[in-house]
Amino acid sequence: MPAKESRPLDLHPRTGATTGLRGNGELLHAMGNELGVAMAVAERAAHDDAVPPAVREDMNTVVEAISRTEGLRGRIRFGSTNAQDTADLLACQTEVLELVARKAPLSATLAALATGMERHLPGTHCSILLFDPEESRLHHCAAPTLSASYTAEIDGMAIGPVAGSCGTAAYTRRPVFVSDILADERWAAFRAVGVRHGLRACWSYPVISPSSSDVLGTFAVYHRRPHRPGAEERLVVERFTHLAAVAIEHHQLFNALHESEERFRGAFTDAAVGMALVDRDGRLAHVNTALCTETGHDLDDLFGMAVDALFEPGSAAEVRDALSRIVSGRAGCYSRDHDFLHADGSRRAAYLLLSPVTDAEGRLRFVCLQLRDITDRLRIRGERQAREAAERANLVKSEFVAQLNHEMRTPLNAVVGFAELLRRSALAPEAAEHARHIVEAGAHLERLLEDTLCMARAEAGSLPMHFEPLDPAEIAREAISFTQPFAERMGIELRAPTGPAPRAVADRHRLRQVLLNLLTNAIKYNRPGGRVAVRSRKSADQVRITVEDTGRGIGPAALERIFTPFERPGAAPDDPAGVGLGLALTKKLVTAMGGSIAVDSEVGVGTRFRVDLPAHEAERPAGAEPVDPLDRGVQAPRGEDA
């Protein structure tokens, strides 16, 4: 078996002391190299089947002797480290900690650590790999004296039970010592790479997180000759490995903190909600764009402003007290709706949230303010609540009116019935006239009850409707026939539309009721010898019905309240009695049929009402959109020709 080449010791020519090595530490390191070579040769011979059994037995004895010698070398490690070695170690540690404190790049920090190890253990090459837990792979970070081609070839190596020194150490979470790469099966997959780059021994420590016990990477020491590390070498590498763990974990924590700050800064800056960081004195230290938008103030105006200056005096004191309690630690978060002052001077409502922002040790740094303008939301909510309350009131009113209608009709029918019997009996002329007044008053009261019930149902949205295509001119002629006797008594001429008109979609009974109300008013408030004309024509995708009279007309102020329930704008003292429900009910009925009603009038000339109803499909122009009868129409502008 050829003898392995060994490195001779350089001894002083007169004293015999070592001159090529620095003191006892380097001497022990050189002894470790020599023992490593001997151990590697002896182990290979002891397991070589080509060697005679007796020789293999002798080699086992040699291996045991070398192991004992290694133990003895470890026992004198304290005497092997002189003051210079200790100073070098402390200097390296100080340099690394300074780099960590300055937040230097991790690769530079770990390169300084590896260089310090190589200075302390001459002839070694150190490498530090970082572990990627998602991929379960090791990636190169620092290797000051290893060739770039070697680090590139092992970069991204997967960890495992036989993945070289580093991959195995990361996998088992235990140190791995390979004194001879050529003889260790754990290097089977990487042996050719190591030999090609002149490497023969490698021992690696897993870098374990001091806080989480997770594997952060590996710290490896290479030799270009077979070598088994002594106890002192192991102790030094353990210390350097721990220092590497501190540096890597600090870097990861700093990166996590930086990413967290960037996320917070992005969320703060880009938030749709107005946000600010308030200092311990209650002043705005940092403000985002949304808060400027919400309050109407410029960024420069808000910076340094006292928080309570944003709010109404009634709210400012409470906000100031809440902020004080958070700063003193007597309270956590605070949230409430408050009124604040917009830059334009308007008073607006806002949702305010105050919460503490603390550092890693729980000390208060800022109070985070979030302000959201909820003026429109409160307005919409108020409108919805008012609408719901009105709907409930309408329902109650409708039920009450229906019950009242029912309860009043029974005695009313009896009164009218007995009055009719009296009229048909042999009464004196004066008594007969009284009976007639009773019947007419009862009929008026019945119409009033019917109109009241109809109005209540329309407001509650429960008015029954039956839509059908119909001829408005035909309905108008029916209504005129009903009102003709009244018109003759008043000396009013009624003009009905002639011939068929374009068909509309409406409820026959409700349309007749609308026209009866309009005709009755046109007759009632006309002048002697006046006239009322009803016309019907097509207008775009609607059918327009016009009722025009030659009465005294209505003034502009009264015209604005013409459809208001229980009002009779423009009524004279000698006008016929009424309660002001007719036109209000008329508008409700027209709207319920998907139409609209408008009016224009000129004092001394007359009044014109226009009712627009959806035209039937057959009457609509080509390409026109269909109209839902339940959709609400838009009033035609006053003054438009009928």
Side-chain angles (χ1 to χ4, degrees), residues 94-105 108-109 112 250 254:
T94 301
E95 179 186 4
V96 170
L97 291 178
E98 287 179 349
L99 290 171
V100 170
R102 294 202 305 265
K103 300 182 179 63
T109 303
H250 180 273
F254 176 74

Side-chain angles (χ1 to χ4, degrees), residues 493-534:
E493 177 190 358
L494 298 181
R495 295 182 181 180
T498 59
R503 289 182 299 171
V505 178
D507 180 286
R508 180 179 295 273
H509 173 65
R510 302 304 177 189
L511 180 57
R512 184 187 301 116
Q513 189 175 358
V514 166
L515 293 176
L516 284 172
N517 285 345
L518 294 178
L519 285 169
T520 301
N521 280 352
I523 296 169
K524 188 187 301 183
Y525 300 107
N526 216 316
R527 57 182 172 80
R531 69 177 183 274
V532 177
V534 181

Side-chain angles (χ1 to χ4, degrees), residues 150-175:
Y150 174 74
T151 57
E153 287 192 67
I154 66 169
D155 186 51
M157 64 182 298
I159 67 172
V162 285
S165 299
C166 295
T168 306
Y171 180 80
T172 61
R173 301 170 59 90
R174 298 173 63 85

Side-chain angles (χ1 to χ4, degrees), residues 117-408:
M117 172 65 77
E118 291 173 352
R119 284 200 302 265
H120 187 72
L121 299 179
T124 62
H125 305 276
C126 296
S127 167
I128 301 175
L129 304 179
L130 299 181
F131 179 58
D132 183 346
E134 294 184 359
E135 298 181 356
S136 292
R137 292 180 178 275
L138 293 169
H139 293 280
H140 165 71
C141 184
T145 58
L146 284 174
S147 65
S149 57
Y150 174 74
T151 57
E153 287 192 67
I154 66 169
D155 186 51
M157 64 182 298
I159 67 172
V162 285
S165 299
C166 295
T168 306
Y171 180 80
T172 61
R173 301 170 59 90
R174 298 173 63 85
V176 172
F177 303 98
V178 175
S179 58
D180 190 353
I181 291 173
L182 297 179
D184 198 297
E185 63 177 7
R186 289 169 293 191
W187 270 78
F190 303 94
R191 185 173 293 122
V193 178
V195 171
R196 188 165 61 250
H197 291 87
L199 304 175
R200 286 295 302 272
C202 177
W203 30 290
S204 178
Y205 275 74
V207 180
I208 305 296
S209 165
S211 60
S212 65
S213 299
D214 294 331
V215 175
L216 303 177
T218 58
F219 194 120
V221 180
Y222 291 88
H223 288 262
R224 296 194 178 277
R225 304 171 61 203
H227 178 77
R228 177 179 293 273
E232 180 195 6
E233 292 173 297
R234 296 185 186 186
L235 179 61
V236 173
V237 175
E238 286 175 2
R239 290 175 177 174
F240 273 64
T241 300
H242 178 73
L243 193 56
V246 172
I248 295 172
E249 187 163 56
H250 180 273
H251 176 77
Q252 292 179 345
L253 290 175
F254 176 74
N255 279 352
L257 177 61
H258 180 71
E259 291 175 3
S260 176
E261 289 178 347
E262 287 298 318
R263 286 195 299 270
F264 176 79
R265 185 177 294 107
F268 179 87
T269 303
D270 302 331
V273 178
M275 296 182 69
L277 294 179
V278 184
D279 62 22
R280 300 178 67 91
D281 295 328
R283 297 190 175 275
L284 303 179
H286 302 279
V287 177
N288 72 349
T289 304
L291 188 63
C292 298
T293 303
E294 296 282 22
T295 62
H297 290 285
D298 293 334
L299 187 63
D300 293 338
D301 295 335
L302 289 175
F303 182 76
M305 179 186 291
V307 173
D308 53 4
L310 288 172
F311 297 92
E312 283 277 344
S315 297
E318 183 176 344
V319 173
R320 189 164 50 246
D321 179 66
L323 190 63
S324 175
R325 285 187 283 110
I326 293 175
V327 170
S328 63
R330 292 178 289 124
C333 295
Y334 169 84
S335 63
R336 189 175 175 185
D337 294 348
H338 281 288
D339 292 333
F340 75 97
L341 295 172
H342 195 270
D344 61 10
S346 62
R347 176 180 174 181
R348 303 182 67 83
Y351 169 76
L352 173 68
L353 173 64
L354 299 175
S355 55
V357 178
T358 58
D359 59 19
E361 297 180 1
R363 292 176 301 208
L364 182 77
R365 293 190 60 193
F366 296 101
V367 174
C368 181
L369 175 148
Q370 297 183 44
L371 185 143
R372 177 180 297 160
D373 190 330
I374 58 173
T375 306
D376 293 338
R377 189 176 71 183
L378 291 181
R379 176 182 55 79
I380 294 172
R381 184 171 65 187
E383 291 174 352
R384 184 181 68 250
Q385 291 174 346
R387 184 172 60 252
E388 292 172 351
E391 290 173 353
R392 289 193 298 270
N394 281 335
L395 182 60
V396 171
K397 180 174 65 177
S398 178
E399 293 175 351
F400 170 75
V401 170
Q403 185 66 26
L404 180 65
N405 185 286
H406 173 74
E407 295 296 335
M408 290 187 66

